[in-house]
Structures are given as structure tokens and as C-alpha cells.
Amino acid sequence: MGIVGMGGIGRMHALALAELGDRARLVAFSGGATADVVGGAVRLAPHDVIARPDVDVVAICTPSGTHATLALAALEAGRHVVVEKPLALDVGDALRVADAARERGLTVSMISQRRLEAEHVVLKQALDDGALGALRLAMTHVHWFRDDDYYRAAGWRSTAAQGGGSLMNQGVHNVDLLRWMCGPVESVTAQSGTLAHAIEAEDTTVATLRFASGALGVVTTTTATPPGFPATIALFGSRGSVELGQGEVRRWDVPGVPEPGTGAIASGAADPLAIGHAGHLAQWTRIVDALETSSPVPVGVDDALETVRLLCAIQTAAATGAVVRPADLGRTRQSQPGPQL
């Protein structure tokens, strides 16, 4: 394995890989790190990590605006890709990554570790089995807080063009969870604003969704609500309802389905690195299983692409005031250049 971007999230990947023992070996990385997480791996420039002959899988843990460019470079070099959320900032770029993976017979897995948390696994199965009945309303709220030092520490967090903002950077996991659980989104309306920080990107977004099933949904994301609160998901069906926090079942009214246990999942409400690496380990374990057996990887490129479509639809709706159909995106949108590496 090679890791491009050994910052806080890159360190989570390194810790997860170390726990896989002989099944995975980190041989190269780029960026800063300490010896306790990289072992005998060598520090190289990003593209040298990708080009290194003994790297089979490249994990991309760099700022969001570079994800698509680096994923394409890794695929062109013949490497499988694991990429932090989101896959890309633009539907056109996500489509190019998906096309490159198919053309080369390689895999791309987007890190969506929250799908693997016990309560989300049980809720997804309950939905698929019809235990909640017909879904009527779905809501997710990510009411977090980031202080000014957070934005000063990394300039990309302040700009929409590089993936900053509460929706694309903080809200992405819950948007992904909502889409994964509730199915395709037919249309979106949204508003956004910068309410608490001197940054170019939004720090608060509110969106309404109409799912293909007919259910309605609400998404709110913000980094402007101190001290920060655990993200929540609430689903209401014709037979039952559920509300989940982060590592917490707040309400479980699902006939015939026992309330699930929860893991020791910490919230990133006030500290982005408080989440720990257990979720990354769970997804990496499944990725290695898939590569060893030539099976589909978890959260593959087509799945990741649909989350990008929804995120971009919300952004477009907020910018234009129009009702936006996610399925229409990707035909005329132009990719935005990422920062130079």
C-alpha cells in the first residue's frame, strides 16, 4: 500500500493498515508522519508513491480538491485506489475516474466508513426488508463547530473550489448515508450562507430532497453552531421510525426488529480527528478481502459517483435557487482545477 497525504486522516489509514498485519504492508507515503505509524515505509513525493513498482493500492488522503486528479494518476499507473470522501468535487471528474477504472479493470473504493457502523447496517437491512414500511420522511443534521484556527490551518478548507464548506467537507458522510439508505434522489432545492466565519465557502447549508420513492428529505450542515453536536439521521416510515446519533440509538420503533447495539464511535462535532480509526479499519478489511477474492470493493466507484451527484446537486440548487435533478448533472458541468502538488 501507498498513502498520498500523511496528515491527520492519512494517519488513520496508516493505523488501520498496521492492524491488518501481514495482509497489507505500507511501503511508501507522502507528507509528514511519525515513525510510529509508518514503520519502515519510505517518504516520497506524491507521484513517486503512485509510480513505485511495489505499490498495489494507493490511498488518497489529500485535500478534497486533489482527489480526482490523484485517483486518475493512480489508475493510469495501474494501481487500485482507496480515496477519502468525496471521490471528486465535480460530477464530470467523478465520471472520468469511473471510466478510467472500468477501462483498466481496477477498483476504486471511497471511504464511507459510517456505513459499516452496527446501527447503520441494521437500519439499512430493516429498510430493505420493509420493516419501516413505506418511507415518508428522512432527515440528517450535521450541526458541528469549527473555529477560525481550523480554517487558518489549511487554506483549502475555506474555499468551495477546493472542497471546503460544511456540506462537501463535513456533511458528506451523512449525505452519503442518507442516499445509501433511502435510495436515489429525484430532485433538490437548497440555500446556503456563510454565517460565522470569514471564509469564501459556505459554513451552513439547508436542502430539501424528493426521493425517487416519493419520500421527502431534509439535509442541514453547518460548522457555525458551537460547541458542536453529534450528527443525526432520522427516518419515518408508515410502520416505524428511527433516530440515530453518532454511536447512539436515540429512538428505535421498528416492529419485529430489535434495537441494535452500537460501537464506541466518537463524534467529530468539535474535533475532526476524534473519530478514531476503527471505521477505517473496518473498510480496509473489506477492501483487502475484496482484492484477495476478486470481489467488488465496498463503496465502489459507481456508488461514490452517485454521492458526488447529490452533493453537487445541493450546491447547484443553493447557488441558483433552481430545483435541480441530480441525474441531469455531468453533461455540461466543467471540472475545476485542483491545487498544484
Side-chain angles (χ1 to χ4, degrees), residues 115 119-129 179-183 252:
R115 295 191 189 188
E119 60 272 30
H120 295 141
V121 172
V122 174
L123 177 54
K124 171 64 170 170
Q125 189 63 55
L127 282 165
D128 291 348
D129 291 344
R179 186 194 65 77
W180 172 63
M181 288 183 180
C182 303
W252 187 270

Side-chain angles (χ1 to χ4, degrees), residues 129-160:
D129 291 344
L132 271 73
L135 185 65
R136 293 172 174 170
L137 180 63
M139 303 186 299
T140 189
H141 303 300
V142 183
H143 296 171
W144 288 1
F145 180 66
R146 296 292 184 264
D147 61 19
D148 291 340
D149 288 342
Y150 169 83
Y151 289 102
R152 282 193 290 264
W156 70 270
R157 296 169 178 167
S158 301
T159 65

Side-chain angles (χ1 to χ4, degrees), residues 40-163:
V42 297
R43 188 198 310 267
L44 300 171
H47 289 285
D48 290 334
V49 173
I50 291 170
R52 187 178 166 100
D54 58 349
V55 168
D56 302 302
V57 184
V58 174
I60 298 169
C61 306
T62 51
S64 299
T66 67
H67 287 179
T69 299
L70 287 167
L72 284 169
L75 292 167
E76 289 166 3
R79 315 298 185 231
H80 298 289
V81 171
V82 174
V83 59
E84 271 294 336
K85 51 75 180 172
L87 172 66
L89 303 184
D90 176 84
V91 176
D93 285 344
L95 285 166
R96 280 184 276 278
V97 173
D99 289 344
R102 279 190 289 271
E103 289 168 3
R104 291 162 175 79
L106 296 167
T107 66
V108 176
S109 178
M110 182 182 75
I111 293 294
S112 298
Q113 76 274 19
R114 297 208 61 209
R115 295 191 189 188
L116 304 177
E117 293 167 11
E119 60 272 30
H120 295 141
V121 172
V122 174
L123 177 54
K124 171 64 170 170
Q125 189 63 55
L127 282 165
D128 291 348
D129 291 344
L132 271 73
L135 185 65
R136 293 172 174 170
L137 180 63
M139 303 186 299
T140 189
H141 303 300
V142 183
H143 296 171
W144 288 1
F145 180 66
R146 296 292 184 264
D147 61 19
D148 291 340
D149 288 342
Y150 169 83
Y151 289 102
R152 282 193 290 264
W156 70 270
R157 296 169 178 167
S158 301
T159 65
Q162 301 308 326

